């Protein structure tokens, strides 16, 4: 149970990756300012978290089952919290989906929206009545740079994160009237199981319904370039956890928080040309004309990220 003065933080999707690291970092806060309710849909997967939490487990960190795709599970979990008092909700649970849309079933696409978008909405709907009543609270959402800029062959995942962005941007205004803050964290590539799960899915894919050219562009052009991007730009889940901690500890938390300054030019490009042409053609060229030279284009990207742009992101340290 939280002791007085401690902030209650509920985090979704703590069995691995970013959620696990945020839970551990907050639970190990040296001033013990947080009581972390780390949730996961299958408690059989708790070992990695329990081990990483060490002494904090059972003290500043407790576990609860929570599946963001189930109304009942969300209700049960929030009801299990003393007085339903949650100071900070961190919506982290999410899944990826990669590949030509011709090969992806509608069921798979709906699952991505059910988890990434409706899962977040379900959580927020459950906690805001109490936060509004108390005139205090902070909702943090793990969005993505793919919520700001579309990326080829990530069509459905990107769409789910765009939905997250639109929803939160709209709700943030109303919540501010009740002194409830809303913050989006916008990571680029992060080395977690997310990356592994997607690559495993791709290896198994047979691409029904897709033509040979599309399959070739996906497997021989996109995948190697994407691996280069992960290698050159990839952050660790610890980096994202540190950025998230900074955001929740800020006296005036920002709404959007890029974690990787290398992405700033990509996002800026979108706002530099409202017709969208600059983004579409730059991405086309980077992938199809400079794809084999991706290492080289990564260097250009790094040069573009000058110090004034760097100031606009939150460094993990
Ligand atoms: N890795 C990356 O490159 C990036 C990731 N993100 C976002 O970060 C978030 C975390 O991803 P990351 O840590 O990388 O990936 P992981 O796959 O390591 O973690 C995802 C977590 O979400 C959980 N989850 C999935 N479905 C549900 C559900 N229905 N209910 C509850 N939990 C669920 C998973 O649980 P289980 O073990 O049960 O499957 C797991 O704990 C996601 O929202 C993702 O979109 C954003 C930008 C980049
Ligand atoms: C930037 C960029 C590319 C890839 C970006 C990738 C792979 C981003 C991954 C982001 C993730 C994993 C976000 C999770 O939410 C391409 C298309 C190769 C073309 C050149 C520019």
């Amino acid at each position: 149970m939280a002791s007085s003065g401690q902030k209650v933080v509920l985090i979704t999707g703590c069995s691995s990756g970013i959620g696990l690291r945020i839970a551990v970092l907050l639970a190990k806060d040296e001033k013990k300012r947080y009581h972390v309710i780390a949730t996961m849909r299958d408690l059989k997967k708790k070992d990695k978290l329990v081990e990483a939490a060490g002494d904090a487990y059972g003290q500043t960190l407790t576990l609860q089952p929570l599946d963001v795709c189930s109304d009942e599970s969300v209700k049960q979990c929030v009801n299990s919290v003393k007085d339903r008092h949650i100071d900070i909700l961190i919506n982290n649970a999410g899944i990826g989906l990669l590949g030509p849309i011709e090969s992806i079933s509608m069921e798979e696409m709906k699952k991505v929206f059910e988890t990434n978008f409706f899962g977040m909405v379900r959580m927020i709907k459950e906690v805001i009545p109490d936060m509004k009543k108390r005139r205090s609270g902070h909702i943090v959402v793990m969005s993505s740079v793919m919520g700001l800029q579309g990326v080829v062959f990530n069509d459905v995942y990107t769409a789910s994160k765009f939905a997250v962005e639109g929803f939160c941007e709209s709700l943030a205004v109303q919540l501010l009237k009740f002194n409830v803050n809303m913050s989006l964290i916008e990571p680029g590539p992060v080395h977690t199981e997310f990356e592994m799960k997607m690559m495993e899915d791709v290896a198994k894919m047979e691409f029904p319904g897709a033509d040979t050219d599309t399959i070739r562009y996906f497997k021989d052009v996109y995948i190697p370039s994407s691996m280069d991007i992960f290698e050159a730009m990839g952050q660790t889940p610890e980096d994202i956890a540190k950025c998230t901690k900074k955001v929740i500890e800020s006296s005036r938390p920002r709404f959007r928080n890029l974690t990787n300054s290398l992405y700033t030019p990509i996002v800026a490009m979108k706002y530099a040309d409202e017709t969208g042409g600059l983004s579409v053609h730059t991405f086309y060229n980077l992938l199809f004309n400079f794809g084999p030279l991706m290492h080289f284009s990564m260097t250009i990207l790094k040069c573009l990220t000058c110090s004034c742009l760097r100031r606009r992101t939150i460094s993990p340290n």
Side-chain angles (χ1 to χ4, degrees):
M1 204 206 298
S3 51
S4 72
Q6 267 184 336
K7 286 201 165 154
V8 178
V9 188
L10 189 143
I11 311 169
T12 66
C14 295
S15 68
S16 64
I18 297 170
L20 184 151
R21 281 298 141 200
I22 298 175
V24 170
L25 186 68
L26 296 183
K28 288 190 170 175
D29 176 62
E30 52 190 27
K31 295 184 196 138
K32 293 193 172 24
R33 285 172 294 180
Y34 305 104
H35 177 83
V36 177
I37 304 170
T39 72
M40 58 185 77
R41 57 180 163 172
D42 180 3
L43 284 183
K44 284 196 227 84
K45 290 192 179 176
K46 70 175 193 283
D47 293 355
K48 220 170 13 157
L49 173 66
V50 169
E51 193 189 324
D55 292 346
Y57 179 58
Q59 302 289 320
T60 49
L61 184 144
T62 53
L63 277 179
Q64 281 295 330
L66 170 60
D67 180 346
V68 298
C69 293
S70 153
D71 290 347
E72 205 192 324
S73 169
V74 166
K75 237 180 220 332
Q76 256 178 22
C77 181
V78 173
N79 284 339
S80 76
V81 178
K82 186 172 177 285
D83 300 329
R84 290 174 54 95
H85 185 125
I86 295 164
D87 294 294
I88 303 168
L89 166 68
I90 303 184
N91 285 289
N92 163 75
I95 56 173
L97 186 63
L98 195 57
I101 54 157
E102 299 93 314
S103 308
I104 303 173
S105 70
M106 291 307 289
E107 287 321 303
E108 286 173 282
M109 296 186 189
K110 284 180 186 168
K111 194 173 148 210
V112 172
F113 268 79
E114 189 51 52
T115 309
N116 297 359
F117 179 66
F118 289 112
M120 171 208 67
V121 173
R122 207 172 266 116
M123 290 304 303
I124 293 179
K125 248 169 85 72
E126 195 59 34
V127 303
I128 56 168
D130 297 286
M131 287 186 174
K132 281 167 131 180
K133 240 182 262 159
R134 289 198 310 270
R135 298 287 194 274
S136 106
H138 194 170
I139 292 171
V140 178
V141 177
M142 202 50 65
S143 182
S144 166
V145 290
M146 287 204 214
L148 304 171
Q149 171 62 56
V151 173
V152 61
F153 291 121
N154 287 269
D155 319 80
V156 178
Y157 175 75
T158 294
S160 75
K161 293 292 186 181
F162 268 60
V164 163
E165 295 274 332
F167 178 88
C168 294
E169 197 171 277
S170 309
L171 189 61
V173 177
Q174 189 219 128
L175 291 186
L176 202 53
K177 193 74 189 141
F178 293 87
N179 196 35
V180 175
N181 285 304
M182 168 85 93
S183 297
L184 297 172
I185 314 290
E186 319 276 8
V190 184
H191 301 290
T192 63
E193 289 183 18
F194 183 90
E195 177 191 2
M196 261 161 35
K197 284 173 204 161
M198 283 207 295
M199 290 308 172
E200 277 169 21
D201 288 349
V202 167
K204 281 186 259 160
M205 260 178 144
E206 281 170 12
F207 309 105
D211 60 275
T212 48
D213 281 346
T214 305
I215 298 172
R216 189 163 48 83
Y217 294 141
F218 176 59
K219 281 174 59 168
D220 302 341
V221 182
Y222 171 77
I223 293 289
S225 298
S226 158
M227 284 163 79
D228 273 344
I229 299 260
F230 261 92
E231 198 179 313
M233 288 186 152
Q235 290 183 290
T236 65
E238 286 80 6
D239 290 335
I240 312 305
K242 285 181 193 162
C243 292
T244 307
K245 189 164 185 276
K246 266 194 183 174
V247 171
I248 64 175
E249 289 175 356
S250 159
S251 54
R252 293 195 65 185
R254 289 183 188 172
F255 176 63
R256 282 204 174 84
N257 301 274
L258 276 174
T259 67
N260 192 333
S261 56
L262 291 171
Y263 256 96
T264 309
I266 291 180
V267 175
M269 204 164 57
K270 179 165 183 164
Y271 295 105
D273 170 22
E274 80 280 5
T275 72
L278 183 61
S279 298
V280 171
H281 293 288
T282 305
F283 266 79
Y284 178 90
N285 284 327
L286 277 174
L287 187 65
F288 292 115
N289 293 336
F290 299 130
L293 300 170
M294 191 51 87
H295 284 301
F296 175 67
S297 29
M298 289 313 304
T299 315
I300 297 175
L301 218 62
K302 280 182 186 161
C303 295
L304 278 169
T305 320
C306 66
S307 57
C308 75
L309 290 171
R310 250 178 236 285
R311 277 207 311 271
R312 294 190 171 276
T313 65
I314 34 165
S315 84
N317 303 308

